[in-house]
Amino acid sequence: MGMVLDELGTPIVLAPMAGGPSTPELAAAVSDAGGLGFIAAGYLSAADLGDRIERTRALTSAPFGVNLFYPSAPSPTETFGAYVTDLAREFPVGEPRYDSDDWDAKLDLLTAAPVPVVSCTFGCPSAPEITRLHAAGSEVWVTVTSVAEAKYAVEAGADALIAQGSEAGGHRGTFADRPADDLTDPLGLLALVQLLTAAVHTPIVATGGITTGAGLAAALSAGAAAAQIGTAFLRCPEAGTAPLLRDAITLDTPTMLTRAFTGRRARGLRNLFMLEHPDAPAAYPEIHYATGPLRAAARTEGNADAVNLWAGQAHSLAPELPAGELVRQLSESAKDALKRALSIRIQGC
Ligand SMILES: Cc1cc2nc3c(=O)[nH]c(=O)nc-3n(C[C@H](O)[C@H](O)[C@H](O)COP(=O)(O)O)c2cc1C
């Protein structure tokens, strides 16, 4: 049987976007337009994930995927205690607790009621976990940010690799988020896709900073089988994007990487909170829970300076269009871009 990627009407994968933007309506609209819709399971209980899968199934008969956060190890209090105490002097903070994002229960749910694709970020499932999902009939896609992670995921049995360039909005999918690694630059998408196509034979889904058909065409030309697109869908009416973010991404504000909000490196629109906490420690999900109340308060007050505004580097090009229409426009303009590229005279041709 062919892979889900081979059956798509157009090589567009909707990026899962946990924390609000991902909705059954958005996933269904992308799948119905010939792309692959995704449900983000991050931050949801397994029971709520089950409801979202049901709602998506009721909206579309086309395939869609579910994205899981792979659990990281708990962090010792020494890594985050001083940061949380410092925040508490100025903001309302919550308990910096640890959980696995309901990993075991979500895996049980997905093996009992499978979906065509299960993707993971923040780490690679073990070979037995991948075998379990395969036995249920699902493909397993793993987000990678380097050649070493890609080789590890292929060895574990991944069916496709989501190559996440540093341009990407939201959290980096890096298996281990280590501040010591900040000394070297994270790979941009074009470099990463070229390195991965040379290193492995597994299909690659390119993600990060693709907001136009020309960007999609570039990823495909570099060797990707499809592109996973996030920020470009944030302004669609079907998305559950918070009003603050929906408005802010239209501006020219630069983005930056930060651990200030969640204790895991993520890209968002630059704001005061990020600038004031450049050395926030790596402790996910403890810091995510600690900053929950301050982010909620900022959202209620409409204060864009104390809430995470996750977005990719090409955010200001995100259009306000129904998701199905956006999929069609991206496909058409990617075709035009590829035709234009073919018409360029290459020496000797
Ligand atoms: C608001 C937002 C939330 C995100 N949430 C998730 C998530 O839950 N799971 C995941 O694998 N990736 C998540 N990402 C990253 C996307 O999968 C993807 O890598 C990214 O959107 C690509 O860059 P782009 O936003 O420039 O298209 C998120 C990105 C954004 C912008």
Side-chain angles (χ1 to χ4, degrees), residues 13-18 22 38-41 66-68 119 162 228-230:
V13 176
L14 168 68
M17 292 186 280
S22 278
F38 252 92
I39 295 293
V66 168
N67 171 259
L68 303 177
S119 78
I162 302 166
Q228 176 167 295
I229 302 180

Side-chain angles (χ1 to χ4, degrees), residues 217-276:
L220 300 174
S221 302
Q228 176 167 295
I229 302 180
T231 301
F233 286 95
L234 283 175
R235 297 180 69 219
C236 295
E238 299 92 337
T241 314
L244 262 183
L245 179 58
R246 204 177 267 276
D247 293 343
I249 58 169
T250 60
L251 307 173
D252 263 345
T253 317
T255 64
M256 60 185 270
L257 290 168
T258 183
R259 290 192 184 87
F261 291 109
T262 64
R264 201 176 218 292
R265 229 167 170 216
R267 183 175 295 284
L269 300 179
R270 185 182 70 186
N271 66 10
L272 205 59
F273 192 83
M274 289 176 176
L275 293 172
E276 286 181 345

Side-chain angles (χ1 to χ4, degrees), residues 149-177:
E149 289 176 348
K151 287 186 173 166
Y152 184 96
V154 170
E155 189 68 23
D159 302 287
L161 301 173
I162 302 166
Q164 190 191 44
S166 63
E167 302 92 328
H171 285 108
R172 293 194 36 79
T174 326
F175 292 1
D177 181 37

Side-chain angles (χ1 to χ4, degrees), residues 100 108 115 130-131 173 236 245 247 252 258 333 347:
S100 71
D108 288 346
V115 292
I130 293 182
T131 304
C236 295
L245 179 58
D247 293 343
D252 263 345
T258 183
S333 58
Q347 202 177 16

Side-chain angles (χ1 to χ4, degrees), residues 123-134:
C124 181
S126 66
E129 286 168 334
I130 293 182
T131 304
R132 230 181 118 190
L133 289 164
H134 281 166

